[in-house]
Amino acid sequence: MEDYLKPELKSELREISTLALASIGDAVFDLMVRTYLCESGIWAADKLHSRTVEYVSAKAQAKAAQALLSVLTDEETQMYKRGRNSNTGHTPKSSTHKEYHTATAVETVFGYLYLSGNTKRLNELFEIMIRKD
C-alpha cells in the first residue's frame, strides 16, 4: 500500500506543473498551520479556522516569505522563482498581484519539498515563517 503522506517523487518532480506543486504546497502549509495551532491549544473549530486564515492568506504568506529568501538553497530558489513567475490566471481581491505571486512561490517550494520527501527542510522553513514576528 502506498503511503501518500510520505511521497518521494524526486525523479518526476520536474514534470509536475508549477501550479500543481503550488496546490500541493498550499494544502501542506495549511495542514502545518492547523497542526501548529492545535499544538498551541487552539482546538475549537471556529477559532482554528479564523486563526488559520491569518497565516495562510496570500498577504500573510507574502509577508512571511521575506524571512525565507535569504535561507533558501539554490534549488529552492529556483522553485520559488518558478512559482513566482507562473501564470495563475487571476488575483484574489484580498491581495495584490505581487502578494499573490509571492504566496504562490512559497507554496511551490512547500509542494516541491513535500513531494520530494524532504520533511526536515519543510519543517525548518515552516518554523522560520511561523516565527517571523
Side-chain angles (χ1 to χ4, degrees):
M1 179 177 196
E2 188 75 31
D3 185 352
Y4 293 102
L5 293 175
K6 291 188 177 183
E8 291 197 28
L9 299 171
K10 290 180 174 125
S11 61
E12 295 93 349
L13 277 173
R14 295 284 175 203
E15 298 174 30
I16 298 173
S17 78
T18 303
L19 293 180
L21 289 173
S23 178
I24 295 290
D26 178 48
V28 169
F29 187 73
D30 186 88
L31 180 61
M32 292 177 84
V33 167
R34 289 174 188 271
T35 302
Y36 167 77
L37 291 173
C38 282
E39 287 178 346
S40 299
I42 299 171
W43 303 325
D46 60 335
K47 286 185 180 180
L48 183 60
H49 175 72
S50 63
R51 289 294 309 277
T52 299
V53 170
E54 293 174 19
Y55 290 96
V56 301
S57 71
K59 189 178 290 291
Q61 285 182 340
K63 183 179 177 186
Q66 300 312 307
L68 292 183
L69 294 177
S70 64
V71 299
L72 294 178
T73 65
D74 290 341
E75 191 172 22
E76 292 163 354
T77 299
Q78 184 180 32
M79 297 310 295
Y80 180 92
K81 289 178 180 178
R82 271 183 64 190
R84 185 192 60 207
N85 297 332
S86 64
N87 183 8
T88 59
H90 76 288
T91 301
K93 292 179 182 178
S94 60
S95 65
T96 66
H97 180 76
K98 183 177 181 180
E99 289 169 337
Y100 189 66
H101 280 269
T102 300
T104 301
V106 170
E107 292 167 352
T108 301
V109 172
F110 271 61
Y112 175 77
L113 291 172
Y114 174 75
L115 290 176
S116 67
N118 195 348
T119 56
K120 182 177 185 233
R121 181 63 174 160
L122 190 57
N123 281 300
E124 289 171 0
L125 296 181
F126 180 76
E127 282 284 326
I128 291 168
M129 286 183 72
I130 211 79
R131 306 222 188 271
K132 68 184 178 346
D133 299 324

